[in-house]
Amino acid sequence: MHSHARYVFIHSLAFVILGLVLVFLLLWGIDSRIIYPTFQHLENLRAVEDADRVQSAIQSEVESLGSLANDWANWDDTYIFAQDFNQSYLDSNYPDPLL
């Protein structure tokens, strides 16, 4: 009887191990086929949103710098005019109203 009990124990242990392996394989399959691709898709969407925000911020800064550079260029022309009273400044900034 001792050998029969041992056989039953080993047989039961084998079924438990086989059951655990099947459960782990099932969980791995669910993770690799459903959960991981879903998280990967969400992460990709988040990366695209972040890239769009960065692109918008850079575009806004470029526009701001362009406006600032234009303002400074106008002031540079005015400072030069204040120093030498050049006619080209008057021609470009105050066109003849009779034309």
Side-chain angles (χ1 to χ4, degrees):
M1 179 87 174
H2 180 63
S3 134
H4 179 67
R6 186 174 185 183
Y7 173 76
V8 170
F9 174 73
I10 291 174
H11 192 69
S12 299
L13 185 61
F15 276 124
V16 168
I17 291 172
L18 180 63
L20 288 174
V21 167
L22 289 176
V23 167
F24 285 127
L25 285 174
L26 179 65
L27 291 175
W28 176 80
I30 290 172
D31 179 57
S32 65
R33 300 286 182 185
I34 298 171
I35 296 172
Y36 181 74
T38 302
F39 278 114
Q40 189 67 32
H41 178 69
L42 291 174
E43 188 173 323
N44 289 343
L45 287 177
R46 180 69 185 254
V48 168
E49 290 172 358
D50 289 345
D52 288 342
R53 277 197 300 274
V54 167
Q55 183 180 8
S56 295
I58 289 173
Q59 184 64 30
S60 175
E61 289 300 319
V62 166
E63 290 171 3
S64 176
L65 286 173
S67 176
L68 185 65
N70 188 32
D71 289 347
W72 280 106
N74 290 335
W75 279 108
D76 286 345
D77 288 345
T78 304
Y79 287 134
I80 292 170
F81 172 73
Q83 291 173 355
D84 64 8
F85 301 105
N86 60 356
Q87 186 61 38
S88 64
Y89 176 84
L90 292 175
D91 293 341
S92 66
N93 289 294
Y94 300 104
D96 190 3
L98 298 177
L99 294 176

